[in-house]
Amino acid sequence: MPQLKKGRHFVGLEIATGEKVLTAGLREVSNGKASTYVSCTNEIIKDIEITTKVMIKILPKVKSFMTDRSATEHKANTLLSAEIHDENNNTETHNFKCAVHPLLQFSDVCTKQIVKLEKDKTVNIDGSEICIANPELVLTENGIKLFYGPDFPDDDIYSYLLKPCNLDYFTKDIIVKFCFELKVKCMQLFKDFMPTGKYYAPNDEILNICKSCPSNNISVERLMAKMDNCIVNAPTYNTNSMESVIMFKNNNTQEWLHKKTDAETTEIIANARTQNNKFLSDIKCRKKDLFHQNIETIRQRQINESNRQVKLNVEMQTALDVFNRNGIWNTDSKNKGKNLRKSTKKGPNYST
């Protein structure tokens, strides 16, 4: 999952095995392009593969993706799917979107309809005006129901919805508008699960392949939240340290190590020490590459800004040349002359 924090791009990757979700890595990248995210994902997976004894290929074993609804992530998943398709005998991968994110979009849809209804029906759906007029409801009686307290005065929508009337056309209008807009949004978000979609009434094979895929990406959101907390509380904290600490906690590495025998623990620690020099060397190389990429990005932005300024100067000079050649149009004097001609012109009802 990519994320932008204070002008810096980060990529977090987790792998779901069906039994658990493991944090694979957390890296900083130079830009927010899908190709960059794909390269970072391959780099994280490669770092995991080289630590195994038999060099197990992880990417060809991926069967599905779970991300949010970002267009960049969708493109990155498409590129990764193409790589898996080429490496794993034309295996098809499945792209799923988080099932929790649509709740925010439903809220946006309802909010827009509420604002529109307030304008069309001249009703007040927001209780803030009552709080402004009677602040004691918030300060003393606690009427807004943030905590336990007296009931807050009903707003117009609430009253109309609960009004016992069989001819309540306003309530029907509200329900129809809400349901229609939510239906349109659902058809956009869940088109793959509609009768014409690829996941409508899936067979047992697809269900078995995708059973390890979680229904949301909350765990990745929590991963990025931990990273954000590290950046806020320790701005000088480098990304590699953040990655190590977060992965150690998320993957319960300490508990996993305690379950190993003494011989296995000794071997694991020895291998870690052996690979430490290469690990540090790779970190330095990545940090150096990231620095040069950021410098190149800044240089390219400066070039683009310079080109934009040159273009503006050329357009300005062209306009000045036109004015110098044809003269500046004096709008006020032209309008006065036009109005004067209109006032002196005789109409059809004037006598000579």
Side-chain angles (χ1 to χ4, degrees):
M1 175 183 178
Q3 197 159 15
L4 180 64
K5 292 291 182 182
K6 296 184 178 181
R8 301 165 63 187
H9 294 271
F10 294 90
V11 176
L13 178 65
E14 292 192 338
I15 299 176
T17 63
E19 299 177 354
K20 60 180 70 175
V21 178
L22 300 173
T23 302
L26 178 65
R27 303 286 168 83
E28 182 177 0
V29 293
S30 59
N31 56 62
K33 297 180 180 179
S35 57
T36 303
Y37 296 151
V38 172
S39 299
C40 182
T41 300
N42 287 328
E43 183 183 86
I44 292 174
I45 292 177
K46 184 178 179 181
D47 288 347
I48 299 174
E49 291 174 346
I50 61 177
T51 61
T52 60
K53 294 181 179 180
V54 293
M55 287 290 291
I56 300 175
K57 291 288 186 179
I58 296 177
L59 188 61
K61 297 181 179 295
V62 174
K63 303 299 181 183
S64 57
F65 298 96
M66 169 55 65
T67 59
D68 59 23
R69 299 178 183 275
S70 168
T72 306
E73 290 197 36
H74 178 75
K75 185 176 180 180
N77 291 344
T78 303
L79 295 175
L80 287 171
S81 298
E83 292 184 11
I84 297 172
H85 184 272
D86 294 337
E87 292 185 18
N88 200 18
N89 298 325
N90 300 330
T91 299
E92 181 185 6
T93 55
H94 304 274
N95 297 329
F96 297 105
K97 309 299 180 184
C98 178
V100 178
H101 281 78
L103 296 178
L104 298 175
Q105 301 189 34
F106 293 158
S107 175
D108 293 338
V109 168
C110 293
T111 301
K112 290 180 181 179
Q113 285 302 309
I114 288 174
V115 172
K116 186 177 180 181
L117 284 169
E118 285 181 332
K119 293 180 179 179
D120 296 342
K121 305 296 184 180
T122 62
V123 295
N124 175 32
I125 306 176
D126 186 7
S128 59
E129 293 185 5
I130 301 178
C131 295
I132 294 173
N134 301 283
E136 65 275 3
L137 293 175
V138 182
L139 299 175
T140 57
E141 298 182 13
N142 197 20
I144 60 173
K145 301 295 288 184
L146 288 176
F147 305 100
Y148 293 105
D151 290 335
F152 189 63
D154 299 336
D155 55 49
D156 294 337
I157 294 294
Y158 184 81
S159 300
Y160 271 112
L161 289 175
L162 298 183
K163 184 178 179 181
C165 178
N166 295 328
L167 299 177
D168 190 357
Y169 295 106
F170 183 60
T171 301
K172 294 180 181 179
D173 189 27
I174 293 174
I175 294 175
V176 169
K177 289 182 180 297
F178 274 28
C179 291
F180 177 78
E181 295 297 331
L182 290 174
K183 178 183 177 181
V184 172
K185 178 59 68 173
C186 287
M187 292 181 68
Q188 293 175 352
L189 297 177
F190 307 117
K191 60 181 180 180
D192 288 340
F193 302 92
M194 297 294 179
T196 57
K198 60 186 295 187
Y199 296 118
Y200 179 74
N203 54 38
D204 293 337
E205 181 181 0
I206 293 180
L207 292 175
N208 185 57
I209 291 174
C210 302
K211 66 180 181 181
S212 63
C213 183
S215 60
N216 54 65
N217 66 339
I218 291 178
S219 61
V220 188
E221 295 283 358
R222 290 172 179 166
L223 168 64
M224 306 311 287
K226 292 179 180 178
M227 179 207 68
D228 188 37
N229 182 64
C230 291
I231 294 176
V232 172
N233 294 328
T236 58
Y237 211 12
N238 64 70
T239 308
N240 299 297
S241 298
M242 282 192 293
E243 180 186 43
S244 300
V245 171
I246 293 175
M247 288 181 64
F248 189 85
K249 292 181 179 179
N250 286 2
N251 296 335
N252 297 320
T253 306
Q254 189 67 37
E255 296 180 7
W256 171 80
L257 195 60
H258 279 316
K259 294 179 181 179
K260 300 294 182 180
T261 62
D262 293 340
E264 291 174 335
T265 302
T266 302
E267 182 181 1
I268 291 171
I269 294 175
N271 290 335
R273 288 174 176 172
T274 302
Q275 297 174 358
N276 186 53
N277 290 334
K278 185 180 184 306
F279 176 72
L280 294 177
S281 177
D282 292 341
I283 289 177
K284 291 180 180 179
C285 290
R286 284 200 297 264
K287 189 175 181 179
K288 184 177 180 180
D289 292 341
L290 180 62
F291 175 77
H292 288 301
Q293 290 170 2
N294 289 336
I295 293 296
E296 179 62 24
T297 300
I298 294 173
R299 189 185 68 83
Q300 189 61 44
R301 288 176 181 173
Q302 291 174 342
I303 293 175
N304 294 338
E305 178 61 24
S306 177
N307 293 337
R308 188 183 71 86
Q309 192 62 43
V310 169
K311 182 179 179 181
L312 289 176
N313 293 338
V314 171
E315 292 177 352
M316 180 64 69
Q317 187 61 44
T318 302
L320 291 175
D321 292 341
V322 172
F323 290 154
N324 293 332
R325 184 170 60 252
N326 301 328
I328 299 177
W329 182 272
N330 192 333
T331 306
D332 293 336
S333 61
K334 297 291 183 181
N335 288 338
K336 288 180 180 179
K338 187 183 295 184
N339 293 334
L340 182 61
R341 287 194 298 272
K342 285 184 178 179
S343 62
T344 57
K345 185 178 180 180
K346 295 181 179 180
N349 295 330
Y350 286 89
S351 59
T352 57

